[in-house]
Amino acid sequence: MELASKYNPTDIESKWYQYWLDNGLFSSKPDGREPYTIVIPPPNVTGVLHMGHMLNNTIQDILVRRARMLGKNACWVPGTDHASIATEAKVVGKLAAEGVKKTDLTRDEFLEHAWEWTHKHGGIILEQLKKLGASCDWDRTAFTMDEARSESVIKVFIDLYNKGLIYRGVRMVNWDPKALTALSDEEVIFKEQQGKLFYLKYKIDGEDGFAVVATTRPETIMGDTAMCINPNDPKNAHLRGKKVIVPLINRVIPVIEDEYVDIEFGTGCLKVTPAHDVNDYMLGEKYNLPSIDIFNDNGTLNENGTQYAGMDRFDVRKQIEKDLEAAGLLEKTEAYTNKIGYSERTDAVIEPKLSMQWFVKMEELAKPALKAVLEDDIKLYPPKFKNTYRHWMENVKDWCVSRQLWWGHRIPAYFLPQGGFVVANSKEEAYEKALSIVNYSLTIEDLRQDEDVLDTWFSSWLWPISVFDGINNPENEDINYYYPTNDLVTAPEILFFWVARMIIAGYEYKSEMPFKNVYLTGIVRDKLGRKMSKSLGNSPDPLDLIAHFGADAVRLGMLLTSPAGNDLPYDDSLCEQGRNFNNKIWNAFRLVKGWEVADIEQPESACMAVKWFEAQLGKTLLEIDDLFSKYRLSEALMAVYKLFWDEFSAWYLEMAKPAYQQPIDRVTYEATLGFFDSLLKVLHPFMPFITEELWQALEERKDGESIMIQLQPKTITVDEKLISEFEYAKEIIAGIRSVRLQKNIPNKERLNLQVVGEYMADFDAVIAKLGNLETIDNVTDKTAGSISFLVGTTEFSIPMGNLINADEEIAKMDAEIKYFEGFIESVMKKLGNERFVANAKPEVVEAERKKKADAESKIASLKESITSLQK
C-alpha cells in the first residue's frame, strides 16, 4: 500500500477503528487462554470526555492491548453509571427550562423524562472514548440501572437486610439542601472559608450575669437545648448546676458538664444544638437532651425558627447578628477561618440534620477488605496510598445508603398501614410477607413502597461482579472465567468511595478479591498547578486535541509525564512532542520502504549494525517487561521512545542505510523490516493507530489480520558485551563529529583517524562509515598538526593538514587549558581539605580524584595538540 508523504491521523484513525470493530477484535469469549480483565470505572451518564478520562482510559487501553499481545484473552468491559444526584439535577434543570417543576409531576412521569434524557445523552462519553482508540468489548456495555444490574442491586440490599447488616433509623446525616437528599461522609468536600466567630450572651437564669458562647452559627440558637462546660475549667466553674436563657428566644436550658468541651476555644462555653451538629448530637444522646429541628429540607427555617421561619439560613445569620446587637446580646465578633462541608455534586453547604435513613453496618464487612490490602493480596500502585486506605478502613462508619431522589434504584421496603415494614423483591412478594406478620385485614394496595432510592455507589460497588451477572447467576461461565479481574485503573479520590467498597463486596459475594492490582492515577493540572476544570476554563476539550494532534499523539502526551499516583502537569507541548514522534516513525518507515533492494553482499558496517540493534532491542524489551510489572507505564513508554528515536533512528538506520543512490543488500533490508515489525508491536499498546497503519504496509496482509492480535516480540539472550562495546564506538563517533563541528569541517570531507594506544577494531567499519573516514590507523606518534580527543584513556587524533587555521586553534586550546587548570584548582581545594577527605564517602572522594585525573589528561592532550600544530 502507498503511504502519504506526511502522516495525517485524521485519514487513518476512523478507518482502523472501524476495521477493528468489523472484525470483532475487541470481543472476548471464555476459552482456554489465560484471561486478562479490566472493568472500566463507569463514567456518569451526564458526563462528557475530560482530561482525567483521557488519562485513565489511555492507561487502561495500554494495559489491555499489551495483554492481548501477550497471548491473553483480554476483556475490557465498558459501561456507564446512572449518577442519581447529577442526573436528577440535569433532568430537573431541563424541565425547569421548559417551565415544568419536578413537584408538578408524578414519580413515573418524572422517570419517563429521566430515561428519555439518559437514552439521548447517556452514551455520548462511550462514543467519545472510541475516538481515543479504547479497545473495549462494546457488546458487553453495561449500565448500572439496566435490568441485570438493577436486579443485582435489589438482591444485595435484601440479602444484607436479611443478614442484619442493613438497618433503618434516625441518625445525624449530611443533608444537601440543593439536591434535597442525604449524602455519605465521603460525598462531602471540606473547604476553608473566611467567616466570623460570634460571641453571644446567655443570661444566667435567676442572676444578673451572663455566660458568653463563641459560635460560627448564631442562626441555630433556636435549636439550643443545653449549654456545656468542661468540668476541669475553673473560669466557668460558677456555671455548674445552673441554667441559662437562650438569647432572643428566651428558652431556659440547663448547663451540663463534659470533657468534650475545648477549654481553650472561645470562652470555654459550648451551645448544644443536637439536631444540627454531629458532636452536639452525641452530647444530646449522652445526656438525653431534646432535639429541636429548625430547618426545612431546602435550608430555610421552619416553624421552630420562630420569627425567622421561612427565611434562608444564611439570610437569618445576617439578620440575627443585627437583632442580637440591638438587644445587647452580642458581645463581639471576630474574623475566623474554618472548614465548611460542601456537597461534592451540587457545591451546596452541607447541613447536619437528623433524618430517618437506611444504613449498612460496615465494621465487620470491612475487615476482609482491610486485610487484603495490608497483606498485599491486592496491591496499590503507588503503595503510598496503603496508609490512606488503612486509615479509612480502620475508622469506617456505617454507610448511609438512602437518597431522597426519584432517579435510582428504589429501596425495596414496603410500609404497612399500622406501622412497620417488610423488605421484598416486589410488591407481590412484600404482600405475602406482610400477610404472615399482621393480624389485621390487608390489601396489596395498603402497602406503600419507600420513596427513597439507593446511593449510586450501592450499585457501582458491585460492578466487577455485576457486569458478569455474578450476583444473579453466581456460577455462570463469564463470572467463573473473568473474575477476579486483573487491574483497576482509577483516581485516588474514590479510593474509599468505590475501590474499598468493591473490595468489600468482592469478599462478601464472591469470597475473593475483585481485582489484583489498583493503579491510581494522578490529577491532570495546568501549567500553574491548578486542577483542570470547566469552572476555571483551563481544561482543553480532549476531542479538539485529538482533532488537532491525532489520538496517538494525545495518548503519548498524556502518558509522558504521568507516573502512577503523581499529578500530570499538562501542556499542549506534550501533544506536540507526541505528534513529532508520530512523524519520526512515519518518516523512518518511508525511508526504509523507499530503499532499492539488491542481492549484493552485506557490508561489514551493516552486519555489525544488525547484531548490535538485535542486542539493544532485546535489552530494552526486558526493561519494558520489568517496568510494566511495576506499573511504571510512563517509564516503559520512555524506554520505547528512546529505543526508536535514539537507537533505531539516530544510530541503526545511519549504520544500515545504503550509500546515496545505491541499493541496500537484501539481508540488511529484511533485518530492518523485522526490527520495524518488532518496534511497531512494542509501540502498539501506546500508539494503536499509526502502528496498525504501518504494520499493514510492512507486507501484504490478509483481511482481518491486525497488529493488535500479534504477539509481542520476545528476548532470548542479550549480548551485553556487544552493547557495551558499541557504546565505546559511539563515543569515538561523537568525538569525530565534535571535531568536525568545532573546526567547521564539512561532513562530506573524508578524514583520517589515528589511534594512540590500545584499541579494539570490531566496530571500525561502523566508525569509518558514520565518521566518514578514509582510514583508521594505530600509531605510536600522532601526526603533527592533529586535533586529539580522549575516549576513556585512549587518545584519538585527526590530522588537520590544511583543514584549519593553526593560530586560531592554538588560541582556542590555550583558553581550554586555562579552564581545566582552574577546574583542577577547585578540585584540589576539596582534596586538600582534611575534613572533607575524612568525612566524605569514599566513592565521593574517589570521584573528585577521577575528575582531577581526567582534567589533567585533557590538558596533556591539548598541550600535545598545540605542540603538533606549532611544528
Side-chain angles (χ1 to χ4, degrees):
M1 62 190 263
E2 188 67 30
L3 282 182
S5 59
K6 286 188 177 178
Y7 173 59
N8 184 350
T10 309
D11 295 343
I12 69 164
E13 288 176 359
S14 56
K15 172 182 76 174
W16 288 119
Y17 199 86
Q18 194 58 51
Y19 177 85
W20 296 329
L21 288 174
D22 291 345
N23 287 282
L25 298 178
F26 303 155
S27 180
S28 176
K29 299 281 187 294
D31 61 24
R33 290 174 293 165
E34 178 190 343
Y36 175 85
T37 318
I38 286 186
V39 293
I40 201 170
N44 291 350
V45 286
T46 58
V48 290
L49 201 63
H50 59 59
M51 297 298 278
H53 291 132
M54 291 279 282
L55 174 62
N56 186 293
N57 287 283
T58 294
I59 291 166
Q60 289 178 80
D61 195 47
I62 288 166
L63 293 170
V64 168
R65 287 180 181 272
R66 180 171 161 83
R68 270 192 209 102
M69 297 180 79
L70 292 173
K72 297 174 184 177
N73 186 353
C75 179
W76 183 10
V77 183
T80 49
D81 191 296
H82 65 279
S84 292
I85 296 174
T87 305
E88 183 146 327
K90 290 275 187 186
V91 177
V92 167
K94 172 187 171 288
L95 290 171
E98 297 167 0
V100 180
K101 293 180 184 175
K102 179 184 171 184
T103 50
D104 296 337
L105 302 173
T106 66
R107 187 188 192 107
D108 287 342
E109 287 170 340
F110 179 82
L111 289 177
E112 277 182 34
H113 286 284
W115 276 110
E116 182 188 331
W117 192 94
T118 300
H119 292 316
K120 185 176 179 182
H121 299 279
I124 290 174
I125 193 164
L126 298 184
E127 289 303 310
Q128 292 174 329
L129 284 177
K130 293 177 181 178
K131 296 282 186 191
L132 185 64
S135 59
C136 302
D137 184 348
W138 298 108
D139 294 337
R140 292 182 176 274
T141 302
F143 174 47
T144 51
M145 269 182 66
D146 63 25
E147 191 176 339
R149 263 48 65 182
S150 295
E151 193 180 323
S152 302
V153 168
I154 300 306
K155 192 169 184 175
V156 165
F157 182 94
I158 294 168
D159 177 66
L160 292 175
Y161 177 77
N162 290 337
K163 289 173 178 172
L165 293 171
I166 284 185
Y167 64 93
R168 185 170 183 263
V170 175
R171 296 286 185 279
M172 180 68 69
V173 297
N174 304 298
W175 186 262
D176 182 337
K178 189 171 180 183
L180 301 179
T181 183
L183 302 178
S184 67
D185 290 347
E186 294 74 37
E187 292 167 297
V188 178
I189 307 297
F190 284 90
K191 302 178 192 177
E192 231 175 46
Q193 192 174 26
Q194 299 295 323
K196 287 182 182 177
L197 201 55
F198 301 82
Y199 287 77
L200 314 186
K201 296 163 74 174
Y202 288 62
K203 188 174 185 306
I204 302 169
D205 190 30
E207 296 182 19
D208 291 336
F210 289 88
V212 178
V213 169
T215 180
T216 57
R217 302 200 63 193
E219 70 275 14
T220 63
I221 59 173
M222 285 73 75
D224 288 0
T225 56
M227 177 183 284
C228 191
I229 60 172
N230 192 310
N232 305 311
D233 182 4
K235 68 179 181 293
N236 286 313
H238 66 287
L239 295 173
R240 284 180 181 165
K242 295 184 180 177
K243 293 181 179 180
V244 293
I245 301 169
V246 180
L248 300 180
I249 312 305
N250 298 323
R251 181 188 305 126
V252 178
I253 57 174
V255 176
I256 61 173
E257 298 177 55
D258 195 280
E259 290 185 348
Y260 162 73
V261 178
D262 181 357
I263 297 171
E264 302 302 320
F265 179 78
T267 62
C269 293
L270 176 77
K271 63 191 277 308
V272 183
T273 318
H276 298 293
D277 181 275
V278 175
N279 298 309
D280 291 7
Y281 172 69
M282 290 189 286
L283 285 172
E285 290 277 286
K286 188 172 178 180
Y287 294 99
N288 201 26
L289 299 173
S291 286
I292 302 172
D293 187 347
I294 66 166
F295 289 121
N296 294 313
D297 287 350
N298 63 359
T300 59
L301 272 69
N302 61 24
E303 65 278 6
N304 293 327
T306 62
Q307 67 262 41
Y308 306 104
M311 290 177 66
D312 180 79
R313 55 191 168 151
F314 297 118
D315 292 335
V316 173
R317 184 177 298 175
K318 293 173 189 170
Q319 184 60 46
I320 210 166
E321 179 181 3
K322 295 174 186 174
D323 294 347
L324 286 163
E325 196 159 17
L329 297 171
L330 180 65
E331 185 177 84
K332 62 176 178 176
T333 63
E334 290 177 350
Y336 186 68
T337 303
N338 64 339
K339 288 194 171 181
I340 305 292
Y342 286 79
S343 167
E344 186 200 32
R345 293 292 179 202
T346 66
D347 205 38
V349 174
I350 290 299
E351 194 59 61
K353 180 178 170 68
L354 281 176
S355 181
M356 178 68 81
Q357 302 289 343
W358 293 88
F359 296 87
V360 177
K361 293 179 183 176
M362 295 294 281
E363 191 176 351
E364 288 304 312
L365 282 173
K367 284 178 180 175
L370 174 59
K371 182 172 179 279
V373 170
L374 291 187
E375 295 182 1
D376 282 336
D377 295 332
I378 297 171
K379 291 186 171 67
L380 304 185
Y381 294 92
K384 68 180 181 182
F385 287 106
K386 259 171 93 167
N387 280 335
T388 309
Y389 181 90
R390 179 185 56 76
H391 175 74
W392 277 337
M393 296 297 271
E394 286 179 350
N395 297 280
V396 71
K397 294 177 184 174
D398 286 357
W399 175 14
C400 175
V401 292
S402 43
R403 298 289 181 270
Q404 288 62 55
L405 303 165
W406 281 351
W407 175 247
H409 301 100
R410 195 169 177 182
I411 290 173
Y414 297 82
F415 297 104
L416 307 175
Q418 294 184 24
F421 60 87
V422 291
V423 171
N425 199 38
S426 65
K427 195 169 188 178
E428 291 71 27
E429 188 183 308
Y431 181 56
E432 292 300 319
K433 280 189 176 182
L435 288 175
S436 69
I437 60 171
V438 301
N439 57 4
Y440 52 86
S441 176
L442 186 71
T443 70
I444 194 167
E445 297 308 317
D446 292 332
L447 298 183
R448 180 179 58 82
Q449 188 175 354
D450 195 314
E451 291 289 324
D452 292 351
V453 298
L454 287 161
D455 179 10
T456 300
W457 297 106
F458 195 85
S459 51
S460 50
W461 78 320
L462 306 174
W463 191 246
I465 307 172
S466 66
V467 293
F468 300 115
D469 205 22
I471 298 292
N472 302 322
N473 300 293
E475 293 303 321
N476 76 72
E477 184 184 22
D478 276 2
I479 195 75
N480 287 337
Y481 181 73
Y482 292 114
Y483 189 95
T485 69
N486 294 75
D487 297 324
L488 177 75
V489 181
T490 191
E493 55 261 38
I494 55 173
L495 185 56
F496 185 75
F497 266 140
W498 190 46
V499 180
R501 288 173 179 162
M502 282 191 288
I503 298 171
I504 289 169
Y507 281 103
E508 182 66 16
Y509 287 101
K510 290 302 294 177
S511 300
E512 61 181 323
M513 66 188 81
F515 29 73
K516 295 158 193 163
N517 306 290
V518 181
Y519 181 108
L520 295 155
T521 62
I523 294 169
V524 185
R525 297 188 181 277
D526 66 12
K527 285 185 282 189
L528 301 175
R530 301 174 302 172
K531 184 177 179 179
M532 286 193 165
S533 69
K534 282 183 189 173
S535 58
L536 286 175
N538 63 344
S539 180
D541 182 332
L543 295 180
D544 289 346
L545 291 178
I546 289 172
H548 185 65
F549 295 105
D552 287 335
V554 176
R555 288 166 67 112
L556 204 75
M558 294 298 288
L559 209 64
L560 279 170
T561 59
S562 60
N566 290 333
D567 292 349
L568 186 156
Y570 174 81
D571 183 68
D572 280 355
S573 62
L574 292 167
C575 294
E576 189 74 53
Q577 189 179 349
R579 181 167 63 185
N580 292 343
F581 189 47
N582 275 284
N583 291 334
K584 185 78 171 176
I585 297 166
W586 189 265
N587 293 335
F589 187 86
R590 290 187 70 248
L591 170 73
V592 171
K593 292 295 277 186
W595 287 338
E596 182 190 338
V597 186
D599 292 313
I600 55 177
E601 187 179 348
Q602 184 185 35
E604 189 185 345
S605 59
C607 179
M608 288 305 297
V610 169
K611 287 179 183 175
W612 165 73
F613 191 75
E614 199 166 57
Q616 187 64 55
L617 173 64
K619 182 181 179 181
T620 307
L621 290 176
L622 289 178
E623 182 187 351
I624 291 165
D625 286 346
D626 179 61
L627 290 168
F628 264 101
S629 74
K630 295 168 180 170
Y631 292 82
R632 287 155 64 176
L633 271 60
S634 287
E635 291 170 61
L637 171 60
M638 280 312 299
V640 191
Y641 184 96
K642 288 175 181 172
L643 176 68
F644 192 96
W645 194 292
D646 298 339
E647 311 298 359
F648 184 70
S649 297
W651 287 104
Y652 173 78
L653 290 181
E654 290 301 309
M655 291 188 272
K657 73 180 182 184
Y660 181 63
Q661 292 189 334
Q662 296 298 309
I664 190 169
D665 70 279
R666 192 169 299 281
V667 173
T668 305
Y669 182 70
E670 294 296 338
T672 305
L673 291 186
F675 291 146
F676 231 114
D677 180 78
S678 294
L679 288 165
L680 290 174
K681 287 172 182 172
V682 179
L683 281 163
H684 177 75
F686 301 100
M687 308 169 75
F689 293 109
I690 191 172
T691 51
E692 183 73 81
E693 175 80 1
L694 297 182
W695 186 82
Q696 295 282 348
L698 260 180
E699 59 182 75
E700 199 68 37
R701 306 291 182 191
K702 295 174 189 170
D703 190 43
E705 279 191 293
S706 169
I707 189 173
M708 66 178 281
I709 50 174
Q710 304 304 306
L711 290 176
Q712 283 279 316
K714 286 184 179 176
T715 299
I716 301 167
T717 56
V718 176
D719 190 338
E720 292 281 2
K721 182 171 176 287
L722 181 64
I723 293 170
S724 175
E725 287 171 356
F726 186 64
E727 288 304 309
Y728 187 80
K730 279 184 183 178
E731 289 190 57
I732 298 168
I733 295 161
I736 297 165
R737 288 172 174 172
S738 180
V739 169
R740 282 187 183 276
L741 193 64
Q742 289 168 14
K743 310 306 174 195
N744 293 316
I745 303 168
N747 287 329
K748 64 182 180 182
E749 191 83 48
R750 302 197 80 189
L751 303 174
N752 297 301
L753 182 68
Q754 295 178 340
V755 186
V756 185
E758 289 187 10
Y759 166 71
M760 286 186 303
D762 296 14
F763 282 94
D764 271 8
V766 170
I767 295 166
K769 180 174 183 177
L770 298 190
N772 193 17
L773 302 177
E774 200 159 337
T775 60
I776 300 176
D777 299 315
N778 243 141
V779 298
T780 308
D781 296 310
K782 60 189 179 185
T783 304
S786 295
I787 297 296
S788 297
F789 61 89
L790 287 171
V791 177
T793 55
T794 303
E795 184 180 2
F796 294 85
S797 178
I798 299 174
M800 288 291 103
N802 298 320
L803 292 171
I804 59 168
N805 181 310
D807 292 339
E808 284 180 9
E809 291 307 315
I810 288 168
K812 282 182 192 174
M813 286 188 277
D814 276 335
E816 278 190 74
I817 288 169
K818 281 181 184 172
Y819 167 77
F820 283 118
E821 284 173 344
F823 178 75
I824 288 170
E825 193 178 327
S826 69
V827 172
M828 284 306 297
K829 281 180 183 174
K830 281 188 182 178
L831 293 175
N833 183 330
E834 288 180 12
R835 287 182 63 191
F836 171 76
V837 175
N839 297 324
K841 291 180 179 177
E843 59 266 30
V844 173
V845 176
E846 187 54 41
E848 292 298 317
R849 288 183 177 136
K850 187 175 185 306
K851 285 179 190 175
K852 175 177 174 284
D854 288 346
E856 287 170 342
S857 179
K858 283 171 183 170
I859 289 171
S861 179
L862 286 164
K863 284 181 176 177
E864 281 186 43
S865 294
I866 290 171
T867 303
S868 67
L869 285 173
Q870 288 172 333
K871 287 180 182 176

